[in-house]
Amino acid sequence: MKSLQLPDSSHPILCVIDLTDGLLHELKWAIEEAKKHNCHISVLYPYRLNQERRNGLNIQSKKELDRMATTRFEDVAEGLLQESKISFDFRSEVGFVQDRIRQFTNKHDVAMLVMGKRMAMENTESLQELIGWLDVPVVMVPQGEPVA
């Protein structure tokens, strides 16, 4: 895997996930870059309440969905991050992917944006605008992308 030049490694890598099994590929990619540049990783799970209901989840409240997202993240990915000894934080937020990314990057400087290619392709127009607005490397990791 080729290493990217980060604008400022004192800023976190923002890794946007969708809590599918493919999220490990995005996280592995972000972890490798974080190790190379000694960066923190901020993991963001943006979701839409109506989307979760369509997927057959009977959600009583946003709080319940946030708790379920945190549990899913811990089950799938937290061990991977802890083993890597990389500092990280996880947050789940209601809203469109591009809006959550923009809000996060308005409040926090980031060194890089990492997200799955499938998620990026589902939000193509909005993502193109966001990529033009961001002034950091943007990495779209294909599902199943091998990680060194």
Side-chain angles (χ1 to χ4, degrees), residues 77-146:
E78 191 172 40
L80 178 66
L81 283 159
Q82 288 175 344
E83 287 173 19
S84 71
K85 297 183 172 51
I86 296 293
S87 65
F88 69 94
D89 63 274
F90 172 78
R91 64 188 75 212
S92 58
E93 297 180 0
V94 175
F96 291 104
V97 172
Q98 65 278 6
D99 292 340
R100 298 300 94 215
I101 293 171
R102 188 178 291 261
Q103 181 181 24
F104 185 91
T105 57
N106 278 337
K107 292 181 181 178
H108 311 278
D109 290 327
V110 298
M112 174 190 302
L113 170 64
V114 176
M115 65 189 306
K117 183 177 180 181
R118 189 189 68 205
M119 180 186 287
M121 297 310 290
E122 291 172 358
N123 301 283
T124 311
E125 277 185 40
S126 304
L127 192 62
Q128 286 177 351
E129 180 183 321
L130 184 67
I131 289 170
W133 179 77
L134 287 172
D135 194 23
V136 298
V138 177
V139 177
M140 287 177 265
V141 181
Q143 190 167 349
E145 177 72 14

Side-chain angles (χ1 to χ4, degrees), residues 24-107:
L24 290 177
H25 299 291
E26 292 113 31
L27 281 174
K28 286 178 182 177
W29 212 100
I31 288 168
E32 289 305 311
E33 287 302 313
K35 285 179 183 177
K36 291 175 189 171
H37 301 284
N38 195 28
C39 291
H40 175 85
I41 298 175
S42 290
V43 181
L44 174 64
Y45 167 58
Y47 64 92
R48 304 277 311 282
L49 288 174
N50 61 349
Q51 174 187 348
E52 297 303 332
R53 289 190 179 105
R54 266 185 285 147
N55 290 336
L57 297 175
N58 184 14
I59 306 303
Q60 301 301 318
S61 69
K62 178 192 176 305
K63 189 174 183 177
E64 181 182 346
L65 188 53
D66 288 339
R67 188 173 48 253
M68 288 170 51
T70 300
T71 299
R72 172 80 173 131
F73 174 75
E74 289 171 352
D75 289 348
V76 175
E78 191 172 40
L80 178 66
L81 283 159
Q82 288 175 344
E83 287 173 19
S84 71
K85 297 183 172 51
I86 296 293
S87 65
F88 69 94
D89 63 274
F90 172 78
R91 64 188 75 212
S92 58
E93 297 180 0
V94 175
F96 291 104
V97 172
Q98 65 278 6
D99 292 340
R100 298 300 94 215
I101 293 171
R102 188 178 291 261
Q103 181 181 24
F104 185 91
T105 57
N106 278 337
K107 292 181 181 178

